[in-house]
Amino acid sequence: MAVMQHLLNCQPLLNLIKEDEVKPACCLRLATHGSVMDTFGDEFNKYRSPLVSRYASKEMAYNFSDKKKFTTWRKLWIYLAKAEKYPVFDKVRKVTGMVGKALGLPVTEAQVAEMESHAEDIDFAMAAEEESKLRHDVMAHVHTFAHCCPTAAPIIHLGATSCYVGDNTDLIMLRDGFDILLPKLARVIDRLSKFAEKYAGLPTLGFTHYQPAQLTTVGKRACLWLQDLAMDMRNLQRAREDLRFRGVKGTTGTQASFLQLFQGDHDKVEDLDRMVTEMAGFKKAYMVTGQTYSRKVDIDSLSPLASMGATIHKICTDIRLLANLKEIEEPFEKEQIGSSAMPYKRNPMRCERCCSLARHLIALLADPLQTASVQWLERTLDDSANRRISLPESFLTADIILSTLQNITEGLVVYPKVIERHIHHELPFMATENIIMAMVKAGGNRQDCHEKIRVLSQQAATVVKQEGGDNDLLARVQADPYFAPILGHLDNILDPKTFIGRAPQQVARFLSEEVRPLLEPYKAEIDVKIELEL
């Protein structure tokens, strides 16, 4: 069954198998340019992207599958046929008395019905054979669709260019990809906010330059991570809302073919564009395009994903550093093995996976930046092969990173006693200013006290650094008669909670005012658990 499931996760098979259809692996066959190969044997003889075969969720893998892509092409051809035929009803025409003005192209109900009945039963073998002859993927699928829709064949793709299906499908996939990612990001933020709230008041060493610094709390540190994730959430929401449809624009974006079809009626061309846009679920279409939509749209889509990758890399690096200190650990399964050679090890492999994939996600942003910069005039085709890789891989990578991070944040383990020991090791040095202030309040001289503390601190530092001993500054203070006036107050002076400032209050306000409102749109999906295959 494990091998079977692994095969079902493969990208080529997603193109051939419906989500609810499971066949024996030995019966699965892949047709490529007329040749038929035994899938079970062949799939292990060629490279398969781990993003699909190993990591990404089924819904994101399907979103960028050939099945989703080419069924979307067919739906777009159906939208076009419907809009070219159907009457227009809108507020503007009601006001002007032009209700029910038909667009008027020779498209029949029977043709539309025939196309709708074959929207998803794609013969991939025929399409592959057609493409091997025509060297044109869109026309190969036009012919394949026409083969099963003989009545509708004359009007499929009427007036359109390849980018009508190609670019519009890409925009639909980007939109749907964001719709998959946003609830996952919300769940990560939710889990981490609960962690921050639970540990809002637990003191811990702060680190600057990875050297011990003034105390913070475990929850306050988590809020630093949350703040970056909240920024990512807003960036992803904005990118998703900014997406528009390419619409019906023709070969170079002028809509000339449609103007000719509608005999110079500009209103009908605009109606057609608007109707198809609405059928595809978009509120707006780009008003101007070349043959393609501007490739800066890809930059705007992948940029927030890369930025989120940077956030997650930082979070998981912090957890890895804290795991080394044994203060915090990611979940570790009962039978999980950390090292084949060192059985005692508990490696932070989930965080390491996130960091590894986050670097890939960040690097992918270079592709749309360079692609947009080298598009000539109305378009060049040197964008196509690059985008087939960079767009899906960015969303697939972001998907598995979020799934993994959700798994991490649902099972983070904190070791308060280890944290306390580290605080007690460093706190005497950090408390020197407090000790000086207490001595001054007791009638001492600030400069004399400063010198006493300086000498004792250097002696204690020698014990720690050169002899490998514990920090004995507190014992030295207690043994020096000079500090007798404050010895009864040392416990209060050295209470870690007096060193965390307003950290707990900051956590409470931040979660209340910024984090929880951000999660409100995702309440229905917030409790979904993630099943992570490691």
Side-chain angles (χ1 to χ4, degrees), residues 412-431:
L412 274 178
V413 181
V414 177
Y415 297 104
K417 291 297 182 181
V418 176
I419 293 173
E420 183 180 0
R421 184 172 73 246
H422 290 159
I423 290 174
H424 287 162
H425 185 74
E426 299 291 343
L427 193 59
F429 290 144
M430 298 179 189

Side-chain angles (χ1 to χ4, degrees), residues 2 11 22 81 95 110 120 128 156 169 175 208 267 285 314 329 348 360 365 400 404 411 414 421 444 497 511 534:
Q11 178 69 37
V22 179
V95 171
E120 298 198 12
I156 293 173
T169 294
R175 179 197 64 191
T208 59
D267 288 339
K314 185 263 191 297
E329 284 184 347
H360 180 58
L365 181 57
I400 186 56
T404 307
V414 177
R421 184 172 73 246
K497 291 191 176 180
L511 295 180
L534 300 174

